[in-house]
Amino acid sequence: MSLPQQKDKLTPELRILGASLLSMVVILLWVKFFAPKPPIVPPQPKPAITAPQSPSSVSPAETGQPSAPTSATARTSTSPRTIPAQGADAEFPIIIQNDLYRVELTNRGGVVKSWQLLKYMDDNKPQRVLDLVHPEAAQQTGGWPFAVVLDNPELEKAANNGLYEETMPESLHLQPMQSPTSPDRLVGGDLSLFWSNGHLAISKHFHFDHSYVVRVDATAMLDGKPITAGLAWLGGFGDLTVTNPAPVETVTTYYSENGKIVNFAHKKLEGLDKWAPGVWQGGKDFAGVEDRYFTAAFVPVNGAAPGTLQTRYWKDFHPVQANGVDSAEPVPEVATASGPQALALRVYVGPKDYDDLKRMTPPLHGLVNFGWMEFIADPLFHALKWMHKFIPNWGWAIVALTLIINMLLFPLRISSYKTCLLYTS
């Protein structure tokens, strides 16, 4: 290979090196002569000497600390906010009544002491109006329906024993009522209760109308910050006067997730001590407690996305006497929450009427359990309801439906009878 050819072979490398060096020279020259100059900061005048300021009057900019949060960010501050203590001076009952139920609340804890379904009677002799609340069990366990459930037991106890104050008494009249025969006040419509001990603040708002559904809104604030508060049905549920089977054997808690209802009898329930503070099961469509014929269901408000509720369920115990022997009877209990935000629920407390439950959103008719023979029991049930429109007495409606079914099956019976005769002859 000749020398000129070797020289030409090195030419590309030399060109790349030269181009790189030239680019660096151009960049350095541009920075030195053409790049924009940084602004000249004028000298700051010396601050005038003044009297020393207290720490509260010194601004964050002067101390070099970040400025204090304002508006929305102020709620995330670690410093507690002062909440004025507020509550009633004495305990008093509040009674709400319409054509379907009579509910007695107390301002001590803002809880329910009685929930009577006026169209249903219990199994007492003589019969009485059915009350879904178990006052003896509730008194012994210390929990009543519509109590709040907090992650701190001490705060929960304070909230459920405080004397709540009515905050909007001007809107307590649902309809004209007859004068009550007792000193209790008879009210309806909207009821708002508020209590605070200066540290914890609880508010509850109830809206009663002419259905089995009650709208309940609840908020819990601790030092001005929202905390998770659940609404519970405590102290027992259902008809206490049923003797066979025992009421405790028919009462279950439940929740619905992804359209499937999961039930928990008392044998499947753990004690409340098994739930660590702050533990809730999320992703629920609704939750509640039921017996064979009645239910209290905690349902989100209309328009809420499915799976937005949280729940926890457990069993407590209260002493009973069976055949002269003292024992402890389990009490299934359930609570529903929606996180730290304000809790907004619709609560259905009433009979497990298939049509009423189906009209709910989400539908609750899955609580009507037909058993493993549902494919037969379901159509028979709807046929009986259709028959009841024409025959108001359920007993005669059953007789009439039985006759109709036998008439429809009569040709098959004749055919089966003839076949039996052929084989026996």
Side-chain angles (χ1 to χ4, degrees):
M1 184 178 292
S2 62
L3 185 61
Q5 288 177 333
Q6 292 181 357
K7 187 175 181 180
D8 291 341
K9 184 178 180 180
L10 298 176
T11 299
E13 287 81 358
L14 292 174
R15 287 180 178 179
I16 292 173
L17 179 61
S20 301
L21 292 174
L22 181 61
S23 299
M24 292 178 63
V25 171
V26 171
I27 291 172
L28 292 173
L29 291 174
W30 182 86
V31 169
K32 182 174 179 62
F33 296 103
F34 301 101
K37 303 294 189 294
I40 300 174
V41 180
Q44 298 291 329
K46 294 183 179 180
I49 300 176
T50 58
Q53 293 177 308
S54 63
S56 59
S57 63
V58 180
S59 67
E62 293 170 334
T63 58
Q65 300 296 325
S67 60
T70 59
S71 64
T73 60
R75 291 192 291 270
T76 62
S77 173
T78 57
S79 59
R81 286 176 50 187
T82 302
I83 303 174
Q86 183 178 342
D89 297 327
E91 183 176 358
F92 54 83
I94 305 170
I95 298 177
I96 294 91
Q97 181 172 335
N98 59 19
D99 295 334
L100 300 176
Y101 52 74
R102 180 185 185 273
V103 179
E104 180 182 346
L105 297 95
T106 174
N107 72 317
R108 182 175 292 280
V111 297
V112 171
K113 289 297 186 77
S114 172
W115 199 296
Q116 295 179 333
L117 301 181
L118 301 180
K119 294 189 176 183
Y120 296 88
M121 308 297 288
D122 62 18
D123 282 356
N124 265 317
K125 294 180 181 179
Q127 288 185 314
R128 301 176 302 185
V129 176
L130 175 63
D131 194 340
L132 296 177
V133 178
H134 299 179
E136 184 177 350
Q139 190 69 42
Q140 292 168 344
T141 59
W144 296 85
F146 286 68
V148 293
V149 173
L150 305 178
D151 296 332
N152 185 307
E154 295 299 324
L155 296 178
E156 180 181 312
K157 183 178 180 181
N160 290 322
N161 285 279
L163 292 175
Y164 285 66
E165 184 179 69
E166 294 180 31
T167 56
M168 45 184 303
E170 69 280 358
S171 60
L172 290 178
H173 298 287
L174 177 65
Q175 59 184 2
M177 293 285 186
Q178 296 179 356
S179 299
T181 57
S182 68
D184 300 343
R185 292 170 305 144
L186 196 62
V187 299
D190 291 86
L191 172 66
S192 290
L193 300 173
F194 181 82
W195 169 84
S196 172
N197 61 0
H199 180 58
L200 175 67
I202 305 290
S203 65
K204 296 181 181 181
H205 180 84
F206 303 86
H207 175 74
F208 299 89
D209 55 23
H210 299 280
S211 71
Y212 287 113
V213 180
V214 178
R215 169 70 185 262
V216 185
D217 297 270
T219 58
M221 305 287 287
L222 184 62
D223 295 327
K225 300 177 184 179
I227 60 175
T228 299
L231 199 66
W233 191 285
L234 309 180
F237 176 84
D239 189 353
L240 264 178
T241 61
V242 177
T243 56
N244 188 21
V248 70
E249 299 299 330
T250 63
V251 176
T252 64
T253 65
Y254 61 84
Y255 66 76
S256 173
E257 186 173 14
N258 298 323
K260 181 181 178 181
I261 297 176
V262 181
N263 291 81
F264 295 91
H266 68 86
K267 295 178 181 178
K268 296 182 179 179
L269 293 173
E270 300 283 356
L272 188 58
D273 56 334
K274 300 295 183 181
W275 292 84
V279 175
W280 293 84
Q281 289 189 1
K284 308 302 185 246
D285 303 320
F286 57 86
V289 61
E290 66 175 352
D291 67 2
R292 281 188 173 181
Y293 307 109
F294 304 94
T295 186
F298 298 96
V299 186
V301 294
N302 286 322
T308 56
L309 295 184
Q310 304 172 352
T311 187
R312 54 197 308 191
Y313 38 87
W314 65 94
K315 61 182 173 185
D316 205 339
F317 291 90
H318 76 107
V320 295
Q321 246 193 9
N323 299 322
V325 179
D326 293 334
S327 60
E329 184 177 79
V331 181
E333 299 179 329
V334 65
T336 305
S338 60
Q341 64 268 24
L343 179 63
L345 293 172
R346 290 172 299 141
V347 186
Y348 178 95
V349 183
K352 290 161 70 171
D353 184 278
Y354 188 91
D355 295 329
D356 288 345
L357 296 177
K358 190 173 183 179
R359 283 192 290 266
M360 292 286 293
T361 305
L364 306 178
H365 62 282
L367 296 174
V368 181
N369 187 5
F370 292 102
W372 64 276
M373 293 289 289
E374 182 173 0
F375 66 98
I376 295 176
D378 192 15
L380 287 177
F381 170 75
H382 287 88
L384 183 61
K385 286 181 68 71
W386 176 82
M387 186 67 66
H388 188 256
K389 295 179 181 178
F390 306 98
I391 306 175
N393 185 284
W394 284 106
W396 286 112
I398 293 173
V399 171
L401 181 62
T402 304
L403 290 174
I404 292 174
I405 293 174
N406 278 284
M407 290 173 62
L408 293 174
L409 296 177
F410 186 73
L412 295 176
R413 288 187 175 184
I414 293 295
S415 176
S416 176
Y417 180 70
K418 289 180 179 180
T419 304
C420 289
L421 287 176
L422 287 173
Y423 279 104
T424 57
S425 61

